[in-house]
Amino acid sequence: MEKQLSILIPVYNYDCTVLIEELVRQTDGYDCEIIVAEDGSTDPHALKANSAIAEMERCRYWKRDANVGRAAIRNLLARESTKPWLLFLDCDVKLKDCNFVANYLSADESSQVIDGGVDVEHNDELGGNLRYRYETEELPRHSAEQRSMNPYRSFRTTNFMVSRQVMLDHPFDERFRRYGYEDVLFGKQLRNAGISILHIDNAVNIDDLEPNDVFVRKTEESLETLHTFKDDLRGYSRMITFAEGIHSRFVVGSIKIWHKVMGGMERRNLCGKRPNLTIFKLYKLGYYLTLE
């Protein structure tokens, strides 16, 4: 018997109609529903464009006036769903495979959580985009084989399928209202509950590579989230492991001083036209340590 599937997409200020049109095409003939939830979006262009989703086949579209955050909106979507399997997708992705949905529907359902992964299309014109350069460098870690080596720490919410009952029994932690790391804690919760994650190669392309200044600010926000929940995330974050592995107070103090003196210059590089990934790593470490 084929899986019955709810495809759940939280949206914030983004026109996702192209993605939904492709999902409608790929779900033709299957027992699927597509639910799109605006989480307090304010952009009038995106809202106007997305309103057309309500008229598409197998689609439900609803709006929340207030933003409840990345964790809470996913929990709301799970409760709103009606099918026994849920496929969560970020709104700013593009499907790589014309059989993307079918690949999930035919996946081994002995695993109650299945992570399809992410990818980035090669584009020479994006050489000055920090997000593109970062994601491209991370690509070797994104294969199913590599993710399976650390299945819980490699989990991302960008593109995954989960049993509805598992999702209801183990919802996202709604303390995570700001950007970052709700997926990492979810992976930890699954491990603690003894629920396996199957990693497969059924990636989506990251389609919205934000300007450098926006990505830097999102990175800073994610580090602030990481610091706030470091006790919960210890052992599941390379940054925490590395930072807490520096046992010399002199070294930590030197990094903090360096960041206070040079952090502004580093940030200007990252927000500029030729961002450097080594500087990005140094900036993240300095930023995180100065949160202490």
Side-chain angles (χ1 to χ4, degrees):
M1 180 178 178
E2 288 180 342
K3 297 182 183 75
Q4 298 172 311
L5 185 65
S6 295
I7 302 175
L8 309 178
I9 303 174
V11 183
Y12 181 72
N13 286 344
Y14 192 80
D15 177 356
C16 63
T17 52
V18 173
L19 172 63
I20 305 306
E21 288 168 353
E22 177 61 15
L23 287 168
V24 168
R25 189 192 69 77
Q26 290 200 20
T27 55
D28 187 33
Y30 294 113
D31 188 357
C32 297
E33 65 177 355
I34 302 167
I35 309 177
V36 179
E38 296 274 5
D39 188 19
S41 296
T42 56
D43 181 79
H45 170 75
L47 285 167
K48 182 178 179 180
N50 290 340
S51 65
I53 295 169
E55 306 303 320
M56 297 182 189
E57 290 184 76
R58 295 178 295 284
C59 290
R60 294 157 60 193
Y61 173 75
W62 44 274
K63 295 183 288 186
R64 291 188 58 88
D65 293 333
N67 182 280
V68 297
R70 294 161 59 86
I73 193 64
R74 287 182 171 88
N75 292 339
L76 284 168
L77 280 163
R79 293 194 295 269
E80 186 74 13
S81 66
T82 64
K83 308 298 183 183
W85 285 91
L86 312 179
L87 171 56
F88 281 92
L89 292 172
D90 282 358
C91 64
D92 56 352
V93 300
K94 183 166 65 175
L95 304 189
K96 287 182 61 177
D97 192 330
C98 62
N99 295 312
F100 173 80
V101 173
N103 292 339
Y104 266 124
L105 292 172
S106 62
D108 180 5
E109 60 182 69
S110 63
S111 294
Q112 295 176 291
V113 182
I114 302 171
D115 187 330
V118 298
D119 201 353
V120 180
E121 285 184 311
H122 178 74
N123 187 336
D124 289 331
E125 295 181 3
L126 292 173
N129 181 277
L130 179 60
R131 175 80 183 276
Y132 174 78
R133 298 190 67 179
Y134 171 75
E135 295 288 356
T136 300
E137 185 182 69
E138 290 290 305
L139 281 180
R141 300 176 185 269
H142 290 172
S143 71
E145 180 181 4
Q146 287 295 313
R147 286 182 279 125
S148 297
M149 292 181 180
N150 291 289
Y152 298 97
R153 279 179 279 185
S154 299
F155 176 79
R156 291 175 68 165
T157 56
T158 307
N159 164 32
F160 76 102
M161 187 170 73
V162 58
S163 156
R164 183 175 187 270
Q165 194 57 56
V166 166
M167 194 69 232
L168 295 179
D169 291 342
H170 304 279
F172 286 105
D173 190 325
E174 296 189 9
R175 293 177 300 162
F176 285 68
R177 292 185 57 87
R178 303 180 72 208
Y179 182 79
Y181 290 96
E182 78 284 349
D183 47 2
V184 178
L185 185 58
F186 184 69
K188 179 181 178 180
Q189 291 170 338
L190 294 177
R191 182 174 188 173
N192 290 344
I195 298 168
S196 64
I197 299 177
L198 173 65
H199 288 273
I200 65 173
D201 285 316
N202 194 33
V204 293
N205 280 326
I206 299 172
D207 198 37
D208 181 30
L209 295 165
E210 57 268 70
N212 292 350
D213 59 332
V214 175
F215 182 58
V216 170
R217 182 57 204 136
K218 287 172 69 174
T219 299
E220 292 167 343
E221 186 174 338
S222 73
L223 291 168
E224 292 160 13
T225 299
L226 179 63
H227 184 264
T228 299
F229 296 103
K230 63 182 179 180
D231 291 339
D232 299 279
L233 296 168
R234 188 169 285 110
Y236 286 77
S237 160
R238 284 181 285 167
M239 176 62 77
I240 293 175
T241 300
F242 186 83
E244 295 187 348
I246 304 173
H247 300 297
S248 167
R249 295 176 63 183
F250 172 77
V251 173
V252 171
S254 298
I255 295 172
K256 289 181 178 181
I257 292 171
W258 173 270
H259 184 77
K260 289 177 181 178
V261 174
M262 301 298 293
M265 185 180 299
E266 291 175 339
R267 198 179 196 279
R268 284 191 293 275
N269 169 268
L270 299 175
C271 294
K273 296 180 179 180
R274 294 181 178 85
N276 182 285
L277 288 178
T278 299
I279 292 175
F280 186 47
K281 294 172 186 176
L282 291 171
Y283 183 79
K284 289 197 295 182
L285 177 61
Y287 192 92
Y288 180 78
L289 288 176
T290 55
L291 294 171
E292 296 291 347

mmCIF file of all heavy atoms in Angstrom, residues 73-100:
data_model
loop_
_atom_site.group_PDB
_atom_site.id
_atom_site.type_symbol
_atom_site.label_atom_id
_atom_site.label_comp_id
_atom_site.label_asym_id
_atom_site.label_seq_id
_atom_site.Cartn_x
_atom_site.Cartn_y
_atom_site.Cartn_z
ATOM 1 N N ILE A 73 5.627 26.599 14.229
ATOM 2 C CA ILE A 73 4.835 26.514 13.004
ATOM 3 C C ILE A 73 4.870 25.094 12.443
ATOM 4 O O ILE A 73 3.869 24.600 11.897
ATOM 5 C CB ILE A 73 5.317 27.547 11.960
ATOM 6 C CG1 ILE A 73 4.300 27.693 10.824
ATOM 7 C CG2 ILE A 73 6.676 27.190 11.420
ATOM 8 C CD1 ILE A 73 2.966 28.244 11.242
ATOM 9 N N ARG A 74 5.987 24.407 12.596
ATOM 10 C CA ARG A 74 6.049 23.024 12.136
ATOM 11 C C ARG A 74 5.168 22.121 12.987
ATOM 12 O O ARG A 74 4.517 21.199 12.479
ATOM 13 C CB ARG A 74 7.494 22.535 12.133
ATOM 14 C CG ARG A 74 8.332 23.140 11.009
ATOM 15 C CD ARG A 74 9.764 22.583 11.016
ATOM 16 N NE ARG A 74 10.494 23.007 9.827
ATOM 17 C CZ ARG A 74 11.185 24.129 9.722
ATOM 18 N NH1 ARG A 74 11.229 24.969 10.756
ATOM 19 N NH2 ARG A 74 11.818 24.442 8.599
ATOM 20 N N ASN A 75 5.131 22.378 14.280
ATOM 21 C CA ASN A 75 4.245 21.596 15.144
ATOM 22 C C ASN A 75 2.778 21.834 14.785
ATOM 23 O O ASN A 75 1.964 20.907 14.777
ATOM 24 C CB ASN A 75 4.491 21.951 16.611
ATOM 25 C CG ASN A 75 5.854 21.484 17.101
ATOM 26 O OD1 ASN A 75 6.466 20.593 16.517
ATOM 27 N ND2 ASN A 75 6.327 22.074 18.183
ATOM 28 N N LEU A 76 2.442 23.085 14.482
ATOM 29 C CA LEU A 76 1.071 23.400 14.068
ATOM 30 C C LEU A 76 0.713 22.678 12.768
ATOM 31 O O LEU A 76 -0.390 22.131 12.628
ATOM 32 C CB LEU A 76 0.916 24.912 13.892
ATOM 33 C CG LEU A 76 0.807 25.753 15.162
ATOM 34 C CD1 LEU A 76 0.964 27.235 14.837
ATOM 35 C CD2 LEU A 76 -0.524 25.510 15.852
ATOM 36 N N LEU A 77 1.623 22.670 11.821
ATOM 37 C CA LEU A 77 1.379 21.989 10.553
ATOM 38 C C LEU A 77 1.179 20.487 10.773
ATOM 39 O O LEU A 77 0.315 19.869 10.138
ATOM 40 C CB LEU A 77 2.555 22.233 9.598
ATOM 41 C CG LEU A 77 2.548 23.578 8.874
ATOM 42 C CD1 LEU A 77 3.930 23.887 8.300
ATOM 43 C CD2 LEU A 77 1.502 23.594 7.766
ATOM 44 N N ALA A 78 1.974 19.901 11.649
ATOM 45 C CA ALA A 78 1.829 18.470 11.931
ATOM 46 C C ALA A 78 0.450 18.167 12.500
ATOM 47 O O ALA A 78 -0.199 17.180 12.103
ATOM 48 C CB ALA A 78 2.919 18.015 12.898
ATOM 49 N N ARG A 79 -0.007 19.008 13.408
ATOM 50 C CA ARG A 79 -1.336 18.782 13.999
ATOM 51 C C ARG A 79 -2.449 19.005 12.985
ATOM 52 O O ARG A 79 -3.515 18.381 13.058
ATOM 53 C CB ARG A 79 -1.517 19.692 15.214
ATOM 54 C CG ARG A 79 -0.603 19.342 16.387
ATOM 55 C CD ARG A 79 -1.048 20.022 17.667
ATOM 56 N NE ARG A 79 -0.938 21.469 17.611
ATOM 57 C CZ ARG A 79 0.133 22.158 17.985
ATOM 58 N NH1 ARG A 79 1.213 21.526 18.419
ATOM 59 N NH2 ARG A 79 0.140 23.478 17.922
ATOM 60 N N GLU A 80 -2.209 19.898 12.038
ATOM 61 C CA GLU A 80 -3.209 20.210 11.021
ATOM 62 C C GLU A 80 -3.285 19.131 9.939
ATOM 63 O O GLU A 80 -4.296 19.007 9.241
ATOM 64 C CB GLU A 80 -2.851 21.561 10.381
ATOM 65 C CG GLU A 80 -3.870 22.104 9.398
ATOM 66 C CD GLU A 80 -5.117 22.654 10.068
ATOM 67 O OE1 GLU A 80 -5.093 22.846 11.295
ATOM 68 O OE2 GLU A 80 -6.107 22.894 9.349
ATOM 69 N N SER A 81 -2.248 18.325 9.803
ATOM 70 C CA SER A 81 -2.183 17.315 8.746
ATOM 71 C C SER A 81 -3.183 16.192 8.995
ATOM 72 O O SER A 81 -3.648 15.973 10.118
ATOM 73 C CB SER A 81 -0.775 16.732 8.675
ATOM 74 O OG SER A 81 -0.471 16.013 9.866
ATOM 75 N N THR A 82 -3.494 15.452 7.915
ATOM 76 C CA THR A 82 -4.476 14.358 8.031
ATOM 77 C C THR A 82 -3.925 13.008 7.577
ATOM 78 O O THR A 82 -4.602 12.002 7.708
ATOM 79 C CB THR A 82 -5.726 14.675 7.191
ATOM 80 O OG1 THR A 82 -5.369 14.743 5.806
ATOM 81 C CG2 THR A 82 -6.368 15.983 7.620
ATOM 82 N N LYS A 83 -2.696 12.977 7.039
ATOM 83 C CA LYS A 83 -2.138 11.745 6.506
ATOM 84 C C LYS A 83 -1.137 11.140 7.496
ATOM 85 O O LYS A 83 -0.571 11.837 8.337
ATOM 86 C CB LYS A 83 -1.437 12.011 5.167
ATOM 87 C CG LYS A 83 -2.299 12.747 4.140
ATOM 88 C CD LYS A 83 -3.538 11.968 3.747
ATOM 89 C CE LYS A 83 -4.320 12.722 2.668
ATOM 90 N NZ LYS A 83 -5.573 12.034 2.297
ATOM 91 N N PRO A 84 -0.888 9.832 7.405
ATOM 92 C CA PRO A 84 0.001 9.168 8.368
ATOM 93 C C PRO A 84 1.487 9.466 8.169
ATOM 94 O O PRO A 84 2.285 9.186 9.058
ATOM 95 C CB PRO A 84 -0.295 7.679 8.158
ATOM 96 C CG PRO A 84 -0.865 7.576 6.788
ATOM 97 C CD PRO A 84 -1.596 8.851 6.546
ATOM 98 N N TRP A 85 1.866 10.016 7.005
ATOM 99 C CA TRP A 85 3.250 10.406 6.766
ATOM 100 C C TRP A 85 3.307 11.890 6.427
ATOM 101 O O TRP A 85 2.419 12.408 5.739
ATOM 102 C CB TRP A 85 3.867 9.590 5.625
ATOM 103 C CG TRP A 85 4.191 8.193 6.024
ATOM 104 C CD1 TRP A 85 3.371 7.092 5.920
ATOM 105 C CD2 TRP A 85 5.398 7.721 6.612
ATOM 106 N NE1 TRP A 85 3.997 5.975 6.403
ATOM 107 C CE2 TRP A 85 5.256 6.324 6.832
ATOM 108 C CE3 TRP A 85 6.606 8.329 6.961
ATOM 109 C CZ2 TRP A 85 6.263 5.551 7.398
ATOM 110 C CZ3 TRP A 85 7.617 7.559 7.533
ATOM 111 C CH2 TRP A 85 7.438 6.188 7.737
ATOM 112 N N LEU A 86 4.356 12.552 6.925
ATOM 113 C CA LEU A 86 4.513 13.988 6.737
ATOM 114 C C LEU A 86 5.839 14.253 6.025
ATOM 115 O O LEU A 86 6.872 13.694 6.399
ATOM 116 C CB LEU A 86 4.527 14.722 8.087
ATOM 117 C CG LEU A 86 3.432 14.354 9.089
ATOM 118 C CD1 LEU A 86 3.615 15.151 10.381
ATOM 119 C CD2 LEU A 86 2.052 14.579 8.501
ATOM 120 N N LEU A 87 5.792 15.106 5.015
ATOM 121 C CA LEU A 87 7.011 15.553 4.333
ATOM 122 C C LEU A 87 7.149 17.051 4.568
ATOM 123 O O LEU A 87 6.332 17.842 4.098
ATOM 124 C CB LEU A 87 6.925 15.253 2.836
ATOM 125 C CG LEU A 87 8.029 15.853 1.948
ATOM 126 C CD1 LEU A 87 9.407 15.434 2.413
ATOM 127 C CD2 LEU A 87 7.805 15.476 0.482
ATOM 128 N N PHE A 88 8.180 17.422 5.332
ATOM 129 C CA PHE A 88 8.449 18.830 5.609
ATOM 130 C C PHE A 88 9.467 19.360 4.606
ATOM 131 O O PHE A 88 10.514 18.741 4.373
ATOM 132 C CB PHE A 88 9.018 19.010 7.020
ATOM 133 C CG PHE A 88 7.994 18.966 8.111
ATOM 134 C CD1 PHE A 88 7.692 17.771 8.748
ATOM 135 C CD2 PHE A 88 7.337 20.115 8.513
ATOM 136 C CE1 PHE A 88 6.757 17.717 9.772
ATOM 137 C CE2 PHE A 88 6.396 20.083 9.534
ATOM 138 C CZ PHE A 88 6.103 18.878 10.171
ATOM 139 N N LEU A 89 9.168 20.512 4.023
ATOM 140 C CA LEU A 89 10.088 21.191 3.113
ATOM 141 C C LEU A 89 10.179 22.656 3.490
ATOM 142 O O LEU A 89 9.172 23.284 3.844
ATOM 143 C CB LEU A 89 9.604 21.086 1.662
ATOM 144 C CG LEU A 89 9.616 19.714 0.992
ATOM 145 C CD1 LEU A 89 8.918 19.793 -0.361
ATOM 146 C CD2 LEU A 89 11.050 19.221 0.819
ATOM 147 N N ASP A 90 11.378 23.219 3.403
ATOM 148 C CA ASP A 90 11.501 24.670 3.495
ATOM 149 C C ASP A 90 10.886 25.290 2.250
ATOM 150 O O ASP A 90 10.870 24.672 1.171
ATOM 151 C CB ASP A 90 12.966 25.081 3.608
ATOM 152 C CG ASP A 90 13.529 24.873 5.011
ATOM 153 O OD1 ASP A 90 12.776 24.445 5.898
ATOM 154 O OD2 ASP A 90 14.730 25.132 5.201
ATOM 155 N N CYS A 91 10.429 26.521 2.384
ATOM 156 C CA CYS A 91 9.727 27.158 1.266
ATOM 157 C C CYS A 91 10.673 27.616 0.164
ATOM 158 O O CYS A 91 10.250 27.790 -0.985
ATOM 159 C CB CYS A 91 8.909 28.348 1.774
ATOM 160 S SG CYS A 91 9.911 29.693 2.481
ATOM 161 N N ASP A 92 11.961 27.797 0.491
ATOM 162 C CA ASP A 92 12.891 28.402 -0.470
ATOM 163 C C ASP A 92 13.813 27.365 -1.105
ATOM 164 O O ASP A 92 15.007 27.584 -1.274
ATOM 165 C CB ASP A 92 13.716 29.494 0.207
ATOM 166 C CG ASP A 92 14.463 28.985 1.444
ATOM 167 O OD1 ASP A 92 14.218 27.836 1.863
ATOM 168 O OD2 ASP A 92 15.292 29.745 1.990
ATOM 169 N N VAL A 93 13.232 26.203 -1.454
ATOM 170 C CA VAL A 93 14.015 25.157 -2.116
ATOM 171 C C VAL A 93 13.431 24.868 -3.491
ATOM 172 O O VAL A 93 12.299 25.254 -3.803
ATOM 173 C CB VAL A 93 14.058 23.856 -1.282
ATOM 174 C CG1 VAL A 93 14.677 24.114 0.076
ATOM 175 C CG2 VAL A 93 12.663 23.236 -1.141
ATOM 176 N N LYS A 94 14.220 24.172 -4.302
ATOM 177 C CA LYS A 94 13.786 23.757 -5.622
ATOM 178 C C LYS A 94 13.996 22.246 -5.743
ATOM 179 O O LYS A 94 15.039 21.726 -5.328
ATOM 180 C CB LYS A 94 14.580 24.498 -6.704
ATOM 181 C CG LYS A 94 14.147 24.166 -8.122
ATOM 182 C CD LYS A 94 14.720 25.165 -9.125
ATOM 183 C CE LYS A 94 16.219 25.106 -9.200
ATOM 184 N NZ LYS A 94 16.777 25.983 -10.262
ATOM 185 N N LEU A 95 13.014 21.528 -6.300
ATOM 186 C CA LEU A 95 13.126 20.087 -6.438
ATOM 187 C C LEU A 95 14.108 19.751 -7.558
ATOM 188 O O LEU A 95 13.989 20.246 -8.675
ATOM 189 C CB LEU A 95 11.755 19.471 -6.732
ATOM 190 C CG LEU A 95 10.636 19.778 -5.723
ATOM 191 C CD1 LEU A 95 9.422 18.924 -6.033
ATOM 192 C CD2 LEU A 95 11.101 19.567 -4.285
ATOM 193 N N LYS A 96 15.059 18.880 -7.260
ATOM 194 C CA LYS A 96 16.064 18.476 -8.245
ATOM 195 C C LYS A 96 15.531 17.403 -9.185
ATOM 196 O O LYS A 96 15.898 17.351 -10.355
ATOM 197 C CB LYS A 96 17.299 17.912 -7.540
ATOM 198 C CG LYS A 96 18.174 18.904 -6.845
ATOM 199 C CD LYS A 96 19.388 18.207 -6.246
ATOM 200 C CE LYS A 96 20.234 17.530 -7.313
ATOM 201 N NZ LYS A 96 21.457 16.907 -6.758
ATOM 202 N N ASP A 97 14.704 16.507 -8.635
ATOM 203 C CA ASP A 97 14.321 15.274 -9.320
ATOM 204 C C ASP A 97 12.845 15.312 -9.670
ATOM 205 O O ASP A 97 12.005 15.645 -8.815
ATOM 206 C CB ASP A 97 14.634 14.084 -8.400
ATOM 207 C CG ASP A 97 14.569 12.742 -9.087
ATOM 208 O OD1 ASP A 97 13.771 12.604 -10.044
ATOM 209 O OD2 ASP A 97 15.290 11.826 -8.671
ATOM 210 N N CYS A 98 12.500 14.961 -10.909
ATOM 211 C CA CYS A 98 11.089 14.928 -11.307
ATOM 212 C C CYS A 98 10.338 13.803 -10.600
ATOM 213 O O CYS A 98 9.101 13.756 -10.645
ATOM 214 C CB CYS A 98 10.964 14.802 -12.823
ATOM 215 S SG CYS A 98 11.685 13.300 -13.496
ATOM 216 N N ASN A 99 11.065 12.903 -9.945
ATOM 217 C CA ASN A 99 10.453 11.823 -9.157
ATOM 218 C C ASN A 99 10.682 12.027 -7.659
ATOM 219 O O ASN A 99 10.657 11.061 -6.886
ATOM 220 C CB ASN A 99 11.030 10.473 -9.585
ATOM 221 C CG ASN A 99 10.674 10.121 -11.017
ATOM 222 O OD1 ASN A 99 9.520 10.224 -11.420
ATOM 223 N ND2 ASN A 99 11.675 9.732 -11.786
ATOM 224 N N PHE A 100 10.881 13.275 -7.259
ATOM 225 C CA PHE A 100 11.202 13.578 -5.860
ATOM 226 C C PHE A 100 10.170 12.994 -4.894
ATOM 227 O O PHE A 100 10.522 12.286 -3.939
ATOM 228 C CB PHE A 100 11.304 15.098 -5.686
ATOM 229 C CG PHE A 100 11.454 15.553 -4.266
ATOM 230 C CD1 PHE A 100 12.679 15.508 -3.638
ATOM 231 C CD2 PHE A 100 10.354 16.042 -3.562
ATOM 232 C CE1 PHE A 100 12.818 15.927 -2.322
ATOM 233 C CE2 PHE A 100 10.483 16.466 -2.250
ATOM 234 C CZ PHE A 100 11.717 16.402 -1.636
#
